[in-house]
Amino acid sequence: FNRGSLNVHLRLLAVLGARDDYIYPYANVPGDQSKSYGSCCGWFFSEWTNTTNLWASQQKLQLDSRKQLVSDDYSFSCQGWSNEGTVEHASVGACFHEGGHSAPRSAYELVWIFFRLSSLERPPDDAKHCTSTSKGCGGYNCD
C-alpha cells in the first residue's frame, strides 16, 4: 500500500491496531520518520501517515486537510479526508482500534460501510469464536 495507486478514484481505508507489534503503525525507525518496525517479527513498514499522505497526494487532496472522521462504531478512532467528515464517505482514511494485529469483528462492518457494500453476506456468527491462531472459521481467517 505504500506505493499508492495509479487509479485516482480508488479509495483507501486502513484498519490498524494501536498496539500492533507485527505491523506497527507509528514511525519508530531512527532517522526515517516514514518507516515503522514491527518488534515481534522484524519487518519494516510504511507508517500510517506516510501511507495515507501518499494516497491523499495522489488524489490531489490537501495534506493539511486531514481531520478526525466520524464512525458509527465508536470503538474506532478515525482520521482522513472526507467532504462529509465521515468514514463512510472518506476518500482516504485510517481507523485505529485499541488492539493488536487481529482486528475486532466490528471491523468487517466498518469496511463494508466504507465500500458501501452493507448488503453483502456478513461473516458467520461462529467467526466470533475464532482465536488469533485458528484457521477457517466458516471460511474466514481470523488472523
Side-chain angles (χ1 to χ4, degrees), residues 94-120:
C95 292
F96 288 85
H97 62 88
E98 285 300 318
H101 188 65
S102 294
R105 180 173 167 75
S106 58
Y108 287 115
E109 187 67 25
L110 181 71
V111 171
W112 275 309
I113 289 170
F114 175 77
F115 286 110
R116 298 180 182 103
L117 301 171
S118 60
S119 63
L120 291 180

Short mmCIF file of all heavy atoms in Angstrom, two decimals, residues 94-120:
data_model
loop_
_atom_site.label_atom_id
_atom_site.label_comp_id
_atom_site.label_asym_id
_atom_site.label_seq_id
_atom_site.Cartn_x
_atom_site.Cartn_y
_atom_site.Cartn_z
N ALA A 94 -7.91 6.25 7.85
CA ALA A 94 -7.26 5.28 8.71
C ALA A 94 -8.05 5.22 10.01
O ALA A 94 -8.34 6.26 10.61
CB ALA A 94 -5.81 5.68 8.99
N CYS A 95 -8.41 4.02 10.42
CA CYS A 95 -9.17 3.82 11.65
C CYS A 95 -8.39 2.89 12.57
O CYS A 95 -7.96 1.81 12.16
CB CYS A 95 -10.54 3.23 11.36
SG CYS A 95 -11.64 4.36 10.49
N PHE A 96 -8.22 3.33 13.80
CA PHE A 96 -7.48 2.56 14.80
C PHE A 96 -8.43 1.91 15.79
O PHE A 96 -9.39 2.54 16.23
CB PHE A 96 -6.54 3.49 15.58
CG PHE A 96 -5.37 3.97 14.78
CD1 PHE A 96 -5.48 5.08 13.97
CD2 PHE A 96 -4.16 3.30 14.86
CE1 PHE A 96 -4.39 5.52 13.23
CE2 PHE A 96 -3.07 3.74 14.14
CZ PHE A 96 -3.19 4.85 13.32
N HIS A 97 -8.14 0.67 16.13
CA HIS A 97 -8.81 0.01 17.24
C HIS A 97 -7.77 -0.17 18.34
O HIS A 97 -6.57 -0.08 18.10
CB HIS A 97 -9.43 -1.33 16.82
CG HIS A 97 -8.45 -2.34 16.33
ND1 HIS A 97 -7.81 -3.23 17.17
CD2 HIS A 97 -7.99 -2.61 15.08
CE1 HIS A 97 -7.00 -3.99 16.45
NE2 HIS A 97 -7.09 -3.64 15.19
N GLU A 98 -8.21 -0.38 19.55
CA GLU A 98 -7.31 -0.45 20.70
C GLU A 98 -6.71 -1.83 20.91
O GLU A 98 -6.48 -2.23 22.04
CB GLU A 98 -8.03 0.01 21.97
CG GLU A 98 -8.22 1.50 22.05
CD GLU A 98 -6.90 2.26 22.01
OE1 GLU A 98 -5.94 1.83 22.67
OE2 GLU A 98 -6.84 3.27 21.30
N GLY A 99 -6.44 -2.54 19.85
CA GLY A 99 -5.91 -3.89 19.99
C GLY A 99 -4.63 -4.09 19.23
O GLY A 99 -3.96 -3.14 18.84
N GLY A 100 -4.33 -5.35 19.02
CA GLY A 100 -3.13 -5.75 18.32
C GLY A 100 -3.37 -5.97 16.85
O GLY A 100 -4.18 -5.27 16.22
N HIS A 101 -2.73 -7.00 16.31
CA HIS A 101 -2.77 -7.24 14.87
C HIS A 101 -4.13 -7.72 14.39
O HIS A 101 -4.57 -7.35 13.30
CB HIS A 101 -1.69 -8.27 14.50
CG HIS A 101 -1.52 -8.45 13.04
ND1 HIS A 101 -1.05 -7.44 12.21
CD2 HIS A 101 -1.75 -9.51 12.23
CE1 HIS A 101 -1.01 -7.88 10.97
NE2 HIS A 101 -1.43 -9.12 10.94
N SER A 102 -4.83 -8.52 15.15
CA SER A 102 -6.15 -9.02 14.74
C SER A 102 -7.21 -7.96 15.01
O SER A 102 -7.38 -7.51 16.14
CB SER A 102 -6.50 -10.30 15.51
OG SER A 102 -5.63 -11.34 15.15
N ALA A 103 -7.89 -7.56 13.97
CA ALA A 103 -8.93 -6.54 14.10
C ALA A 103 -10.16 -7.14 14.77
O ALA A 103 -10.43 -8.33 14.61
CB ALA A 103 -9.30 -5.99 12.73
N PRO A 104 -10.92 -6.33 15.48
CA PRO A 104 -12.16 -6.84 16.08
C PRO A 104 -13.19 -7.15 15.00
O PRO A 104 -13.11 -6.67 13.87
CB PRO A 104 -12.63 -5.69 16.96
CG PRO A 104 -12.03 -4.47 16.35
CD PRO A 104 -10.72 -4.91 15.75
N ARG A 105 -14.15 -7.96 15.37
CA ARG A 105 -15.21 -8.36 14.44
C ARG A 105 -15.92 -7.15 13.83
O ARG A 105 -16.32 -7.18 12.67
CB ARG A 105 -16.22 -9.24 15.20
CG ARG A 105 -17.37 -9.72 14.35
CD ARG A 105 -18.23 -10.72 15.13
NE ARG A 105 -19.48 -10.99 14.50
CZ ARG A 105 -19.64 -11.74 13.43
NH1 ARG A 105 -18.59 -12.28 12.86
NH2 ARG A 105 -20.83 -11.94 12.92
N SER A 106 -16.04 -6.07 14.56
CA SER A 106 -16.73 -4.89 14.06
C SER A 106 -15.99 -4.24 12.88
O SER A 106 -16.57 -3.42 12.17
CB SER A 106 -16.94 -3.88 15.18
OG SER A 106 -15.70 -3.51 15.76
N ALA A 107 -14.74 -4.61 12.65
CA ALA A 107 -14.00 -4.07 11.51
C ALA A 107 -14.66 -4.48 10.19
O ALA A 107 -14.61 -3.74 9.21
CB ALA A 107 -12.55 -4.51 11.55
N TYR A 108 -15.26 -5.69 10.16
CA TYR A 108 -15.96 -6.12 8.95
C TYR A 108 -17.03 -5.09 8.56
O TYR A 108 -17.11 -4.67 7.41
CB TYR A 108 -16.65 -7.47 9.15
CG TYR A 108 -15.74 -8.66 9.23
CD1 TYR A 108 -15.64 -9.40 10.40
CD2 TYR A 108 -15.00 -9.08 8.13
CE1 TYR A 108 -14.83 -10.52 10.47
CE2 TYR A 108 -14.19 -10.19 8.18
CZ TYR A 108 -14.11 -10.92 9.36
OH TYR A 108 -13.32 -12.02 9.43
N GLU A 109 -17.84 -4.72 9.50
CA GLU A 109 -18.92 -3.77 9.22
C GLU A 109 -18.36 -2.41 8.80
O GLU A 109 -18.87 -1.77 7.88
CB GLU A 109 -19.83 -3.62 10.44
CG GLU A 109 -21.06 -2.79 10.19
CD GLU A 109 -22.05 -3.43 9.22
OE1 GLU A 109 -22.06 -4.67 9.09
OE2 GLU A 109 -22.82 -2.69 8.59
N LEU A 110 -17.30 -1.97 9.48
CA LEU A 110 -16.67 -0.69 9.15
C LEU A 110 -16.21 -0.68 7.69
O LEU A 110 -16.48 0.26 6.95
CB LEU A 110 -15.48 -0.44 10.08
CG LEU A 110 -14.72 0.86 9.89
CD1 LEU A 110 -15.56 2.04 10.36
CD2 LEU A 110 -13.40 0.80 10.65
N VAL A 111 -15.57 -1.75 7.26
CA VAL A 111 -15.07 -1.84 5.88
C VAL A 111 -16.23 -1.93 4.89
O VAL A 111 -16.21 -1.28 3.84
CB VAL A 111 -14.10 -3.03 5.74
CG1 VAL A 111 -13.75 -3.28 4.28
CG2 VAL A 111 -12.84 -2.78 6.57
N TRP A 112 -17.26 -2.75 5.22
CA TRP A 112 -18.40 -2.85 4.31
C TRP A 112 -19.10 -1.51 4.14
O TRP A 112 -19.51 -1.15 3.03
CB TRP A 112 -19.39 -3.91 4.79
CG TRP A 112 -19.03 -5.28 4.32
CD1 TRP A 112 -18.74 -5.67 3.04
CD2 TRP A 112 -18.90 -6.46 5.11
NE1 TRP A 112 -18.43 -7.01 3.00
CE2 TRP A 112 -18.53 -7.51 4.25
CE3 TRP A 112 -19.06 -6.72 6.47
CZ2 TRP A 112 -18.33 -8.80 4.71
CZ3 TRP A 112 -18.85 -8.01 6.92
CH2 TRP A 112 -18.50 -9.03 6.04
N ILE A 113 -19.22 -0.76 5.21
CA ILE A 113 -19.85 0.56 5.11
C ILE A 113 -18.99 1.48 4.25
O ILE A 113 -19.48 2.22 3.40
CB ILE A 113 -20.10 1.15 6.51
CG1 ILE A 113 -21.23 0.38 7.19
CG2 ILE A 113 -20.42 2.63 6.43
CD1 ILE A 113 -21.41 0.70 8.66
N PHE A 114 -17.68 1.45 4.47
CA PHE A 114 -16.76 2.28 3.69
C PHE A 114 -16.90 2.00 2.20
O PHE A 114 -16.95 2.92 1.38
CB PHE A 114 -15.32 2.03 4.14
CG PHE A 114 -14.29 2.75 3.33
CD1 PHE A 114 -14.06 4.11 3.51
CD2 PHE A 114 -13.54 2.09 2.37
CE1 PHE A 114 -13.10 4.79 2.75
CE2 PHE A 114 -12.58 2.75 1.62
CZ PHE A 114 -12.36 4.10 1.81
N PHE A 115 -16.96 0.74 1.84
CA PHE A 115 -17.08 0.37 0.43
C PHE A 115 -18.53 0.30 -0.04
O PHE A 115 -18.80 -0.16 -1.16
CB PHE A 115 -16.35 -0.94 0.14
CG PHE A 115 -14.86 -0.77 0.13
CD1 PHE A 115 -14.09 -1.30 1.13
CD2 PHE A 115 -14.23 -0.03 -0.87
CE1 PHE A 115 -12.71 -1.13 1.14
CE2 PHE A 115 -12.86 0.14 -0.88
CZ PHE A 115 -12.10 -0.41 0.13
N ARG A 116 -19.44 0.73 0.83
CA ARG A 116 -20.87 0.78 0.50
C ARG A 116 -21.39 -0.58 0.06
O ARG A 116 -22.13 -0.69 -0.91
CB ARG A 116 -21.13 1.85 -0.54
CG ARG A 116 -20.75 3.23 -0.07
CD ARG A 116 -21.02 4.28 -1.12
NE ARG A 116 -20.60 5.58 -0.64
CZ ARG A 116 -19.48 6.18 -1.03
NH1 ARG A 116 -18.69 5.62 -1.91
NH2 ARG A 116 -19.17 7.36 -0.55
N LEU A 117 -20.99 -1.61 0.78
CA LEU A 117 -21.37 -2.97 0.45
C LEU A 117 -22.16 -3.62 1.58
O LEU A 117 -22.10 -4.82 1.78
CB LEU A 117 -20.11 -3.81 0.17
CG LEU A 117 -19.23 -3.32 -0.96
CD1 LEU A 117 -17.92 -4.08 -0.98
CD2 LEU A 117 -19.94 -3.42 -2.29
N SER A 118 -22.91 -2.84 2.33
CA SER A 118 -23.55 -3.37 3.53
C SER A 118 -24.57 -4.46 3.26
O SER A 118 -24.97 -5.17 4.16
CB SER A 118 -24.21 -2.23 4.32
OG SER A 118 -25.18 -1.58 3.54
N SER A 119 -24.99 -4.65 2.02
CA SER A 119 -25.97 -5.70 1.74
C SER A 119 -25.30 -7.05 1.47
O SER A 119 -25.99 -8.06 1.32
CB SER A 119 -26.83 -5.31 0.54
OG SER A 119 -26.03 -5.21 -0.61
N LEU A 120 -23.97 -7.09 1.40
CA LEU A 120 -23.29 -8.35 1.15
C LEU A 120 -23.35 -9.26 2.37
O LEU A 120 -23.60 -8.82 3.49
CB LEU A 120 -21.83 -8.11 0.79
CG LEU A 120 -21.59 -7.45 -0.56
CD1 LEU A 120 -20.09 -7.27 -0.78
CD2 LEU A 120 -22.16 -8.28 -1.69
#
